[in-house]
Amino acid sequence: MADDRQHPMLQYIINNPEAFAQNLAKTIEQAGKAMAAYIEPREQGKIKHDSTDELTGVVKTLAQVGEYWASDPQRAIEAQSRLWSGYIDLWNSSLKRMMGEPSTPAVETPARDKRFADPDWENNQFFDFIKQLYLITSKWAEDMVHDAQGLDEHTRHKAEFYVTQIANAVSPSNFVLTNPELLRLTMESNGENLVKGMQHLVEDLKTGKGELKIRQTDPSKFKLGENLGNTPGKVIAQNDVCQVIQYSPTTEEVLKRPLLIVPPWINKFYILDLNPEKSFIKWAVDQGHTVFVISWVNPDERQAQKSFEHYMKEGILETLDIIKKATRQSEVNAIGYCVGGTLLAVTLAYMAKMGDERIKTATFFTTQVDFTFAGDLKVFVDEEQISALEKRMEEQGYLDGSKMSSAFNMLRSNDLIWSYVVNNYLKGQEPFPFDLLYWNSDSTRMPAANHSFYLRNCYLDNKLSKGEMEIAGERLDLSKVTIPIFNLATREDHIAPPKSVFLGSGCFGGPVNYVLAGSGHIAGVVNPPAKNKYQYWTGPEPRGLLENWLKNAEEHPGSWWPYWDEWIRSNDNAKAKARKPGANRMKILEDAPGSYVMTKV
């Protein structure tokens, strides 16, 4: 008897038709439960908004692209010819392959495209044909947007983004009948994978209370304060905006200047304290820094009117007062991460205006202060979209955390959405336990006033870089910030692109050390030296174009953390006796990581 390699389609035959029929019935039953879990909260009025506004925006944007090509018969014919030319090439190459003749694929599969890694995407002619048909069509759609004339930059950006999302969604890798791996698994298991997948879908819809909250990891394997965020420390202060954590020293001597870390409130601070091996906070403590971290509140309607000004005053400025009480030191080194860095930059400009010199050095992790090249998140920012968002936030007083989480996931939808749809709902598998993805799914809400100010003043009008932003009645000028700055960007960042961070370096009035790290927005920052992963680049003053800076930059292997520590010490290496939380009559409220970070959305 011939082996399966001579009869490749034998892999796609049902092993047990009776068991398959039973599992198919179970799958349909579970699908009904999933539909009920989706519909019920909408019928009860618990979910008041659907995706109509977003869908209308997508249609309007893509209609402008279609209008360009349809408005001229010659252009319309040209567009059709492009597509049919690709199809004809595919048909001809497929016929040659079918007849046993040498043939070249009509389109090459991108080398880094993980969706088509299974050998049958190439070895099996049916799946190879489906794959190439998809690649030709999606590339044609992208070209239609790119080549459309008369579109303003923002409309073109939105159209490119929407086409990419649609193309990613309709990929043949996302469907059982057109994905060889899924089809084999379904036949081999007699459809048990689909039954489990539908059960996962029901669970995720119930967890999301009618919204699909895709599991990216196994949440049962992690507990904050036990195997995440467990660097020893104490909460020594709190208000309506944040808690302040002071970490316990591990060295007899410490740097005289304490270290204040301002994390983003869009996510939770323990990204910098995932576990002892990855924790930047623990590493900094072990190097002799007295570390203080702001843990932002997970807001509800009570924080609706908390603005950027409140986060600046009740967050950073009050924490500086607390640090002075706890350490008897007024001079501080400060770090800001992502939007926490933007807030820190705003605070520095305000302090410069007020003559407040307590922060002596500032470090920015993947932070934007000039939003000219702010990347794909700008797709979600224009007057129409912000006004609609503000209207929604008025009703609750905040933006639900799932909305921001979805926006971030869409920036890398193949990796952060569709791969999990396939794994969880079509393969029926449990996601792998991964601390970073647990943190990623632990989303936070956005206070209405704060978020509106941020979107309008930064993304929409770019006022901070122009010297037009006003806080507490003061117009801010970043050029008045003359303290030394360490400005870290990451090479593959989709949220704060390195070009954007580089451009922002020129807004400050003092010396700026621009450093480019390998990897992306998270892994490029959370890169402990012991792992010896990635690399970083240092170079001359960040002026002119990033491309020119890179030509003169020097590449270094491994983590940038020790380089940053040397930079801190080069500005002031004075030492002091280690300070424990609770010293100087500071009241200890609770153990780190505190209660604010525990609040779920």
Side-chain angles (χ1 to χ4, degrees), residues 213-475:
K213 188 171 183 179
I214 301 174
R215 275 176 288 182
Q216 296 177 324
T217 188
D218 182 353
S220 67
K221 297 294 190 291
F222 302 101
K223 188 168 183 182
L224 194 51
E226 293 186 8
N227 59 355
L228 289 174
N230 55 358
T231 298
K234 306 291 183 182
V235 176
I236 59 171
Q238 68 181 41
N239 56 30
D240 289 340
V241 165
C242 68
Q243 289 187 321
V244 179
I245 302 170
Q246 181 181 354
Y247 287 89
S248 303
T250 58
T251 57
E252 292 184 4
E253 279 193 328
V254 293
L255 287 177
K256 188 175 181 181
R257 288 180 182 171
L259 178 65
L260 166 62
I261 298 178
V262 185
W265 55 88
I266 288 175
N267 305 106
K268 294 183 177 180
F269 82 87
Y270 67 89
I271 185 58
L272 295 174
D273 190 29
L274 286 174
N275 61 47
E277 289 74 35
K278 297 178 183 177
S279 173
F280 177 83
I281 290 172
K282 181 182 184 303
W283 181 87
V285 169
D286 290 343
Q287 306 315 301
H289 295 273
T290 306
V291 178
F292 294 82
V293 172
I294 291 175
S295 174
W296 300 108
V297 69
N298 197 343
D300 54 29
E301 63 277 359
R302 292 171 295 180
Q303 282 82 22
Q305 298 308 312
K306 295 294 184 181
S307 66
F308 236 62
E309 179 181 336
H310 291 100
Y311 271 58
M312 177 184 77
K313 289 183 174 179
E314 297 174 25
I316 296 178
L317 294 180
E318 279 195 20
T319 300
L320 290 174
D321 295 336
I322 291 162
I323 290 174
K324 185 174 181 179
K325 291 178 184 178
T327 65
R328 305 287 170 87
Q329 295 295 327
S330 58
E331 294 186 358
V332 171
N333 297 314
I335 293 176
Y337 193 169
C338 190
V339 66
T342 306
L343 177 67
L344 176 59
V346 167
T347 305
L348 290 172
Y350 177 81
M351 293 172 74
K353 184 87 173 187
M354 306 306 292
D356 188 337
E357 299 180 345
R358 286 178 290 177
I359 296 179
K360 293 301 183 181
T361 72
T363 298
F364 296 112
F365 295 167
T366 60
T367 293
Q368 297 177 101
V369 295
D370 187 320
F371 288 75
T372 303
F373 304 116
D376 283 342
L377 281 177
K378 291 188 78 172
V379 164
F380 304 105
V381 180
D382 51 44
E383 182 58 45
E384 185 177 4
Q385 292 185 88
I386 292 178
S387 295
L389 188 63
E390 288 172 336
K391 187 176 180 181
R392 291 186 184 185
M393 290 192 296
E394 279 179 14
E395 297 179 7
Q396 292 180 304
Y398 57 86
L399 176 67
D400 191 84
S402 63
K403 303 302 181 185
M404 286 300 300
S405 180
S406 296
F408 285 126
N409 286 341
M410 286 175 70
L411 299 182
R412 294 172 53 209
S413 58
N414 277 334
D415 293 332
L416 296 177
I417 297 177
W418 296 111
S419 66
Y420 293 101
V421 168
V422 170
N423 182 78
N424 299 0
Y425 310 138
L426 300 180
K427 291 184 179 179
Q429 296 177 355
E430 293 285 349
F432 184 77
F434 187 19
D435 52 10
L436 177 57
L437 290 175
Y438 176 87
W439 167 85
N440 188 57
S441 65
D442 192 8
S443 55
T444 58
R445 306 181 189 99
M446 302 294 108
N450 177 306
H451 200 53
S452 175
F453 181 93
Y454 177 56
L455 292 178
R456 288 191 173 278
N457 282 266
C458 295
Y459 275 95
L460 187 62
D461 297 326
N462 201 15
K463 287 186 175 182
L464 182 58
S465 66
K466 297 175 183 176
E468 298 174 358
M469 181 182 284
E470 291 190 4
I471 291 279
E474 302 291 341
R475 179 164 287 205

Side-chain angles (χ1 to χ4, degrees), residues 95-170:
L95 283 177
K96 287 183 179 180
R97 180 175 177 179
M98 190 181 300
M99 296 170 66
E101 299 179 14
S103 64
T104 302
V107 59
E108 294 290 340
T109 306
R112 299 180 65 183
D113 197 331
K114 300 176 184 177
R115 296 174 296 176
F116 305 112
D118 189 278
D120 268 7
W121 283 113
E122 183 175 340
N123 297 337
N124 185 296
Q125 187 169 354
F126 170 76
F127 294 113
D128 186 37
F129 182 88
I130 293 292
K131 174 193 68 177
Q132 291 189 60
L133 186 69
Y134 164 75
L135 292 173
I136 289 169
T137 307
S138 58
K139 179 64 166 59
W140 172 81
E142 291 169 2
D143 289 343
M144 289 299 96
V145 176
H146 183 267
D147 295 338
Q149 304 296 314
L151 300 179
D152 64 86
E153 183 181 347
H154 182 61
T155 299
R156 185 184 305 280
H157 192 183
K158 288 200 295 183
E160 290 173 344
F161 184 81
Y162 295 151
V163 165
T164 298
Q165 298 307 314
I166 293 169
N168 290 347
V170 301

